[in-house]
Amino acid sequence: MNKVFHTFMHYFKHFRTVSLPFLASGLSILATIFMLSGCAGALAFRDGNALLAEGKTEEGLSKLELAVKHEPRNAEYRITLATNRASIINNLLSRGDAAKREGRLSDAEKAFRQTQNIDANNTMAKQGIDSIVIERRHRQILVDAESLLKKGGGLALDEALDKIRSVLSENPSQKDALNLRSRVEEARAKASKPESKLAAIYKKPITLEFRDAPLKAVFDMIAKVSGLNFFFDKDIRPDIKATIFVKNTSIEDAVRLLLVTNQLEQKILGANSILIYPGTPQKQKDYQTLSMRTFFLTNADVKAVSNSIKTIVKTKDLVVDERLGIIIMRDTPEAVRMAERIVALQDLSDPEVMLEVEVMEIKRTRLLELGIRWPEQVSLSPLVVSGSALTLTDLRNMNESTTQAVVGSMVINARKEDQNVNVLANPRIRVRNKDKAKFMIGDRVPVITTTSTSTGFVSESVSYVDVGLKLEVEPSIYLDDEVGIKVGLEVSNIVKEVTSKSGTLTYQLGSRNAATTLRIKDGETQILAGLINDDERSTANKVPLLGELPVAGRLFGSDKNDKQRSEILLSITPHVVRSIRRPDLIDAEFDSGTEANIGVPSLYLSTVEPEKTDVTGGKPAAPAPGAVQSANPPSTKAAEPAAVIIAATPATAVSATPSAVAAPMPAVQNASPIQGALSFSWQTQAQVKVGEQFSAVLRVNSQGALRGMPLLVGFDPQMLQVVSVQEGDFFKQGGATTNFSQRIDPMQGKVLMAVVRQSVAGNDSGINGAGGLATLTFKALKSGNAKLQLQSATPEPMVTTPFTLPVEQLVKLLP
């Protein structure tokens, strides 16, 4: 079109050489071209807007660009194109950034590519695509690091850490890399700790029988059997004697018993090396390793938590940063772990409640005014003639023509008014526990105060008074989903305006208020009503005597009856948004060590059942090569050491002096194996909700007569908590007396039980049949599949028929 236009203008400049008919035809062609160009631009503009409305951004922008090309001087087209292009580019960039943050790299790349299709030189789109390329490379590196972590080993963990460092050097905030680095560092820490390698040796069973033996000799025997290396501090006295009789306990418990009873401590030096040193304060400072721990608090008060740690854990090296809300402590690993549990109990989010409040003011007005209001008075006054003053002579000459009479107007009243007014406020307030919340619906009325001084200076100040509906609440949330609420309600209004002598306007306010304390359940609605204001006024305006007539008196008087009644009603319903969580017993109650050693586990000897090669009652496994037995029998003299028997493998140790070893429970001498099948089973619920308690009965069915049985039951301590253990009725049949003992290990998820029929004469032949051995009551802690397992059972006497162990029962814990 531009070419045609310039050609036409060229000929137009030389119109003298062009004929008039040719000039007219050229002008018509030019007008047609302009009309077609304008129609094409409008059509493209309309199509572009329609395509944008349908979501076809690229096609719509192309149409708008075409419209601008047809009409480059059209401001509307250019503004519409620029605005839509900028809006679409911003939306695509935002969508790409959001997808990248969520890890959807393909969607992010698609959004950035679309941005480049619209604006090929967009810098943010180019940077987004480059960051996606880098992120994909980082993810591949992290996949390789994850495989190295699963592989394990010192070299693999070091290589994985190097790969993670390369990612964090380019993107320090990469969440997956930070998480993986924490896992790798934790794995390296576990691998570097000698305690993890000692755990397997420490859990082996051992039997020790010493009386007044040198302590180092006892440790020498343990070292020969277990393969552990013991090193002794030079300040340990060489004349320390030890007496210990333990059977089938772990090496860890036996060693700890020897150390505690002789005021000694240990430090693990390597995979199989332990240092023994005196438990004096100076030696503990020299050998005991201290740990650093930083606690980041999000809810609890930093000072309160630090005071708890100082009071309970007795930590001296404690730093508190109130600005960041952190606590840094330096203490023994046991004290640090105890502080972690204290922080977990205190650093809980504050409970909150949503208060649904409804305040209503019901006002009713009834007004009836009916009758004739006659003139109440007649005023007489002398007329003034020609503006002259009145004299006494004029008063004596007053008559009807010189007296002015003024009579009031007569009013016929026929009015009736009925008003019903409801003022409603229905706010929803979310309040934190023991915090105040208030709201006000009304006006702030100005009150002007005038102050004048002796010099004549006058000043005015303005203060404001809240008039309307005011409500203040302060909730207190309790453990049983009940909410205590302090409520303060005030309703005020302007009764009338009062003007002072100086012209200052003040107000007379009417107020009704109530304050109370409620304790209601979650979701329960409580209504507070009875704030009633009831006014009734009756006014009569009658002509004397005539107005008192029975029927006709209505014509000589007017009656007005005005009744006003208002009532305020408050309805409040609490909804607990976040309640106080009662901690589980395993978190609220735990061992805290001794007064001297905070956080150290309790001293006890755990029974480790020796592994038997045959559960049918055959011969036990032969002693391990490491077993040592003294050839000399023990003497009755206290000064001489007793016979020593050490078994570090699952071997049954027989002492040369049976009286020196306390049996774990009464046993029948010379018991012969019994014939007949023996089976165990569980009887319990298939499904239990979290938080509920349920009972599991361990039942036995024996064809042979049994006189006793020790049992070992395992459970998952993360999902179940033992509430109680009770003896069953199997061994009590026939009115027999039984001896039942049980011990619960909540950390390892073990329940040890033993039951024996007792007889004074010693001739109890036992009982057979079916019945319950024990009833275990559990509490469900979290949802999932919990497994109960009978891991060990040793019938007395032993049976010849094999029986199956372990016996498992699956319980589904519902949320």
Side-chain angles (χ1 to χ4, degrees):
M1 185 189 69
N2 293 334
K3 185 176 181 180
V4 174
F5 177 76
H6 288 298
T7 302
F8 179 79
M9 293 302 296
H10 174 73
Y11 285 109
F12 183 76
K13 289 178 181 179
H14 304 83
F15 68 94
R16 293 178 181 175
T17 61
V18 179
S19 61
L20 291 176
F22 177 78
L23 182 60
S25 61
L27 290 174
S28 63
I29 292 172
L30 184 61
T32 304
I33 291 173
F34 274 109
M35 290 178 62
L36 292 176
S37 176
C39 292
L43 182 61
F45 182 75
R46 185 188 62 188
D47 294 342
N49 288 328
L51 291 172
L52 290 177
E54 294 175 2
K56 301 177 181 179
T57 56
E58 296 183 9
E59 296 87 341
L61 291 177
S62 299
K63 287 292 184 180
L64 291 179
E65 290 174 355
L66 182 61
V68 173
K69 184 177 180 181
H70 284 303
E71 298 185 41
R73 296 179 178 272
N74 193 316
E76 181 184 2
Y77 292 176
R78 294 202 311 270
I79 293 174
T80 303
L81 174 62
T83 303
N84 284 280
R85 177 183 291 173
S87 176
I88 292 171
I89 289 176
N90 291 334
N91 290 336
L92 288 174
L93 292 175
S94 300
R95 192 189 311 167
D97 292 337
K100 181 184 172 185
R101 286 194 300 268
E102 295 173 3
R104 297 181 285 109
L105 299 183
S106 298
D107 295 340
E109 184 180 6
K110 181 179 179 181
F112 292 138
R113 295 292 183 189
Q114 289 180 354
T115 304
Q116 285 188 330
N117 292 337
I118 298 173
D119 185 4
N121 298 323
N122 190 281
T123 305
M124 297 183 67
K126 185 177 181 301
Q127 293 176 354
I129 293 175
D130 294 341
S131 65
I132 289 175
V133 174
I134 297 174
E135 181 67 20
R136 284 175 174 164
R137 178 167 56 84
H138 288 172
R139 287 192 175 187
Q140 184 59 43
I141 295 175
L142 293 178
V143 169
D144 298 339
E146 182 76 27
S147 61
L148 291 172
L149 174 60
K150 293 180 180 179
K151 181 180 178 181
L155 295 177
L157 294 177
D158 292 340
E159 186 178 354
L161 197 57
D162 292 337
K163 289 181 176 292
I164 296 171
R165 285 197 187 102
S166 66
V167 174
L168 292 177
S169 63
E170 297 179 2
N171 185 7
S173 61
Q174 222 282 352
K175 295 182 180 179
D176 295 335
L178 293 173
N179 183 25
L180 187 58
R181 184 181 66 176
S182 300
R183 292 166 55 196
V184 172
E185 300 240 353
E186 184 179 356
R188 291 184 67 195
K190 288 183 179 179
S192 62
K193 284 185 178 180
E195 291 89 341
S196 60
K197 301 178 182 179
L198 279 174
I201 302 176
Y202 260 18
K203 299 304 178 183
K204 288 184 178 181
I206 190 171
T207 297
L208 298 175
E209 299 179 13
F210 287 93
R211 179 183 290 117
D212 292 336
L215 180 65
K216 292 186 177 180
V218 178
F219 278 106
D220 288 342
M221 287 296 179
I222 298 176
K224 290 179 181 179
V225 174
S226 63
L228 293 172
N229 299 321
F230 292 98
F231 300 90
F232 298 91
D233 186 88
K234 63 181 182 66
D235 293 332
I236 295 180
R237 293 185 293 108
D239 58 342
I240 299 178
K241 302 290 184 180
T243 299
I244 181 172
F245 294 94
V246 294
K247 184 177 181 181
N248 291 335
T249 188
S250 65
I251 296 178
E252 179 182 14
D253 292 341
V255 170
R256 188 158 180 262
L257 178 63
L258 288 171
L259 296 177
V260 172
T261 54
N262 292 280
Q263 290 78 47
L264 300 175
E265 295 289 344
Q266 67 174 353
K267 180 179 178 63
I268 299 176
L269 303 178
N272 60 347
S273 301
I274 299 175
L275 171 67
I276 309 297
Y277 61 91
T280 60
Q282 183 59 42
K283 291 296 182 180
Q284 288 181 352
K285 291 181 180 179
D286 294 338
Y287 290 117
Q288 199 171 51
T289 302
L290 301 181
S291 299
M292 290 284 295
R293 180 70 162 89
T294 302
F295 299 100
F296 290 85
L297 304 183
T298 57
N299 299 289
D301 182 64
V302 180
K303 288 186 176 180
V305 177
S306 63
N307 290 334
S308 299
I309 296 176
K310 289 179 181 178
T311 304
I312 299 176
V313 188
K314 311 296 183 184
T315 299
K316 296 181 180 179
D317 299 336
L318 201 69
V319 178
V320 177
D321 190 338
E322 297 184 26
R323 182 179 65 88
L324 298 177
I326 62 175
I327 298 175
I328 304 174
M329 69 174 295
R330 181 172 179 264
D331 211 324
T332 62
E334 293 82 7
V336 169
R337 285 193 292 270
M338 187 173 177
E340 289 177 353
R341 304 187 75 167
I342 294 174
V343 171
L345 285 175
Q346 289 189 273
D347 191 24
L348 300 176
S349 57
D350 292 334
E352 294 185 24
V353 61
M354 176 73 76
L355 297 177
E356 187 174 347
V357 182
E358 184 175 6
V359 183
M360 186 184 312
E361 182 179 7
I362 304 171
K363 187 174 182 180
R364 298 183 181 89
T365 302
R366 300 292 184 266
L367 176 62
L368 178 61
E369 188 174 3
L370 184 63
I372 301 175
R373 184 170 181 177
W374 295 91
E376 300 177 357
Q377 59 184 1
V378 177
S379 299
L380 300 177
S381 60
L383 291 174
V384 179
V385 181
S386 300
S388 59
L390 293 174
T391 61
L392 293 176
T393 305
D394 295 333
L395 292 178
R396 286 197 299 268
N397 297 327
M398 286 183 60
N399 52 30
E400 295 177 358
S401 59
T402 60
T403 303
Q404 179 184 359
V406 179
V407 182
S409 60
M410 180 181 69
V411 180
I412 300 176
N413 294 319
R415 183 174 62 152
K416 182 179 181 181
E417 293 182 1
D418 291 337
Q419 292 184 3
N420 291 325
V421 181
N422 293 332
V423 180
L424 177 64
N426 188 15
R428 295 170 64 89
I429 312 170
R430 182 165 176 170
V431 195
R432 197 169 59 176
N433 186 34
K434 296 183 179 179
D435 279 357
K436 292 183 179 180
K438 60 181 180 180
F439 74 93
M440 188 265 181
I441 301 175
D443 300 321
R444 293 178 61 84
V445 179
V447 177
I448 301 175
T449 304
T450 303
T451 305
S452 61
T453 62
S454 59
T455 59
F457 177 76
V458 179
S459 62
E460 291 184 349
S461 61
V462 181
S463 60
Y464 293 89
V465 178
D466 294 332
V467 178
L469 175 65
K470 291 191 293 184
L471 179 66
E472 294 185 359
V473 291
E474 181 180 351
S476 298
I477 304 173
Y478 299 96
L479 282 171
D480 51 358
D481 286 337
E482 289 191 355
V483 182
I485 309 173
K486 293 182 179 179
V487 182
L489 174 66
E490 180 181 356
V491 179
S492 58
N493 63 309
I494 299 177
V495 177
K496 66 177 180 179
E497 296 179 353
V498 180
T499 305
S500 64
K501 294 181 179 179
S502 61
T504 303
L505 183 64
T506 58
Y507 303 94
Q508 179 181 345
L509 303 179
S511 176
R512 282 171 288 172
N513 52 58
T516 185
T517 301
L518 310 173
R519 181 162 177 169
I520 52 182
K521 294 183 178 180
D522 180 22
E524 182 182 354
T525 300
Q526 181 64 43
I527 297 176
L528 177 64
L531 296 177
I532 301 173
N533 184 15
D534 197 350
D535 293 337
E536 183 174 354
R537 294 182 178 90
S538 297
T539 305
N541 193 334
K542 301 179 181 181
V543 177
L545 299 179
L546 296 177
E548 302 295 337
L549 296 176
V551 178
R554 284 288 186 178
L555 300 176
F556 299 97
S558 177
D559 294 332
K560 180 180 179 182
N561 296 322
D562 188 3
K563 296 181 179 179
Q564 294 184 2
R565 178 185 175 90
S566 62
E567 179 179 1
I568 297 176
L569 182 142
L570 170 66
S571 170
I572 186 167
T573 305
H575 299 283
V576 178
V577 178
R578 187 188 297 115
S579 61
I580 301 177
R581 183 179 64 85
R582 188 188 300 271
D584 297 331
L585 184 61
I586 194 173
D587 296 327
E589 181 180 355
F590 53 88
D591 293 337
S592 61
T594 62
E595 184 68 23
N597 295 317
I598 302 295
V600 176
S602 300
L603 182 64
Y604 67 93
L605 295 177
S606 59
T607 301
V608 180
E609 293 291 335
E611 299 177 0
K612 294 182 173 59
T613 58
D614 187 4
V615 298
T616 62
K619 294 182 179 180
V628 180
Q629 180 172 345
S630 175
N632 299 324
S635 173
T636 56
K637 296 180 181 180
E640 297 179 1
V644 179
I645 298 176
I646 304 178
T649 59
T652 302
V654 181
S655 174
T657 57
S659 60
V661 183
M665 66 177 186
V668 180
Q669 302 295 331
N670 301 325
S672 300
I674 62 174
Q675 303 290 333
L678 178 65
S679 62
F680 300 91
S681 63
W682 288 98
Q683 180 180 350
T684 185
Q685 302 172 230
Q687 296 180 350
V688 180
K689 291 185 178 180
V690 174
E692 295 183 351
Q693 297 183 5
F694 68 97
S695 297
V697 180
L698 178 60
R699 298 183 60 83
V700 64
N701 189 350
S702 175
Q703 295 181 2
L706 300 176
R707 289 186 290 272
M709 185 180 303
L711 303 165
L712 175 61
V713 175
F715 63 95
D716 188 353
Q718 300 296 328
M719 305 183 71
L720 298 175
Q721 176 184 342
V722 179
V723 178
S724 63
V725 179
Q726 297 179 351
E727 181 185 359
D729 57 355
F730 178 75
F731 285 103
K732 291 183 178 181
Q733 298 181 64
T737 302
T738 60
N739 182 12
F740 179 77
S741 61
Q742 53 89 13
R743 185 173 68 83
I744 303 172
D745 188 352
M747 303 300 295
Q748 299 184 2
K750 305 290 184 184
V751 179
L752 302 173
M753 299 175 286
V755 57
V756 178
R757 286 172 64 96
Q758 294 182 340
S759 175
V760 179
N763 56 359
D764 191 347
S765 59
I767 193 71
N768 60 356
L773 289 175
T775 301
L776 293 86
T777 303
F778 295 94
K779 178 183 178 181
L781 300 180
K782 65 178 182 179
S783 60
N785 294 324
K787 182 169 64 175
L788 304 178
Q789 188 180 59
L790 176 61
Q791 298 178 349
S792 174
T794 307
E796 174 63 37
M798 297 297 294
V799 298
T800 58
T801 305
F803 56 90
T804 303
L805 285 179
V807 181
E808 298 179 351
Q809 174 68 34
L810 195 64
V811 181
K812 188 174 183 181
L813 307 182
L814 303 177

